[in-house]
Amino acid sequence: MNTVWQYLKPTPVGSLIRQLVQDASRWRGRLPRMTPALNVRAGCTNAYRYWRNKRSLREHIAGERALLQTAREQHAAFYRIPEREPLVSVIIPTWNRGELLTARTLPSVLAQTHQNLEIIVVGDCCTDATAEMIAELGDPRMIFYNLPERGKYPSEKKALWQVAGSAPKNKGLEMARGSWIAPLDDDDVFTPDHIASLLQCAQINDLELVYGKLRIEEAAGRWKEKGQVTHQMSIQNSTMLFRSYLKLFRSDINAWRYGLTVDYQRTIRYRETGVRIGYLKQVVALMPLRPGQARIGVVADDRPGEVIMRVPAQMS
């Protein structure tokens, strides 16, 4: 077997085969309901998809790798000595969810144990009363900016779901003044120690980006946790905290052309450019079902009569 590995190693095809086998072995045992043969096949399929997507983004990654190196050199002295209470910019893109945003999402940010915050809410050309509802909360740390026109997203349902919110996410990054940035989707919820826990992990370990687990309500009352240490998994948007100079990684509104979600495509770029990433093995955010929603993701549907305030017991 050693002779075979030595033969395969120098060639591109050999390297791919080697990666497929190694990644399949990592997946072994993670899917207990599958037979060993199917388990290996799942690992190989995910490894191949990651390798294929990485190749399609090769030029993109090369440019960002150079930008990252420059940014590190410019900010090295600033992050060498950790700030005790750094300003953290929470960026929330939204589109016509003013009631849910102000009843569920923003209160979880205001309740953070780390209080040195600026909360930037960017509307994707909202037409509801989001601005007025945010103003009623009366917290001077909150900023609302409404884009004059909505992002130029594809019309096909799945493609739209893959990249919706890219435009306000990028605008929020431009506006952020904090030395750390915490993204949050407008229907998700931070745990009370979200920022404090991630910040401590990042500072102690000299990380540029750290993420934790997301608890997702797949169906009414049925929850699962998402977030693992593996290069094939997407880093969920609401579970991250990263240094301000990583704003150079903008959300790609064309990610759907690669068959990818914005978050997964950005994960590939983080990892392949060499961002120092850490994983905190605890739940740092929740994604409860939205009012009227029975399923999540691209297949989400409505459930009439649902009350707006559905804060789960798991938040405490």
Side-chain angles (χ1 to χ4, degrees), residues 105-278:
T105 303
L106 284 172
S108 78
V109 181
L110 298 177
Q112 288 297 292
T113 56
H114 183 98
Q115 286 285 297
N116 189 15
L117 307 172
E118 67 168 2
I119 305 162
I120 303 170
V121 182
V122 182
D124 206 352
C125 194
C126 293
T127 56
D128 67 352
T130 297
E132 292 78 5
M133 291 186 219
I134 291 175
E136 287 176 4
L137 294 178
D139 195 303
R141 295 173 298 175
M142 290 190 292
I143 304 166
F144 178 69
Y145 178 86
N146 199 23
L147 292 173
E149 61 179 22
R150 201 164 181 228
K152 300 186 184 303
Y153 306 120
S155 57
E156 193 271 325
K157 183 179 180 181
K158 182 178 179 180
L160 172 60
W161 170 79
Q162 289 173 320
V163 299
S166 298
K169 284 180 182 178
N170 290 333
K171 182 61 179 179
L173 290 175
E174 293 174 10
M175 296 174 64
R177 298 180 299 111
S179 52
W180 293 87
I181 294 174
L184 177 61
D185 291 343
D186 66 355
D187 54 350
D188 288 352
V189 177
F190 278 167
T191 57
D193 63 345
H194 173 101
I195 292 174
S197 296
L198 292 174
L199 181 61
Q200 182 182 43
C201 180
Q203 290 181 328
I204 289 175
N205 297 287
D206 191 28
L207 300 170
E208 294 173 306
L209 183 152
V210 63
Y211 70 102
K213 292 183 179 181
L214 177 68
R215 182 173 289 148
I216 303 171
E217 189 178 17
E218 292 184 292
R222 191 175 80 229
W223 295 79
K224 75 170 183 179
E225 292 181 3
K226 190 169 185 178
Q228 301 177 33
V229 186
T230 165
H231 69 267
Q232 288 124 7
M233 305 300 287
S234 175
I235 299 174
Q236 305 301 307
N237 187 62
S238 297
T239 68
M240 290 190 290
L241 181 79
F242 54 85
R243 293 182 179 183
S244 64
Y245 58 79
L246 294 191
K247 64 175 67 176
L248 67 91
F249 293 92
R250 296 170 64 84
S251 294
D252 185 359
I253 204 167
N254 292 309
W256 66 274
R257 297 185 185 276
Y258 303 94
L260 303 172
T261 64
V262 162
D263 292 346
Y264 185 35
Q265 195 229 50
R266 197 173 53 238
T267 296
I268 294 173
R269 289 154 54 202
Y270 286 149
R271 296 192 185 279
E272 295 303 321
T273 53
V275 173
R276 295 194 302 277
I277 301 173

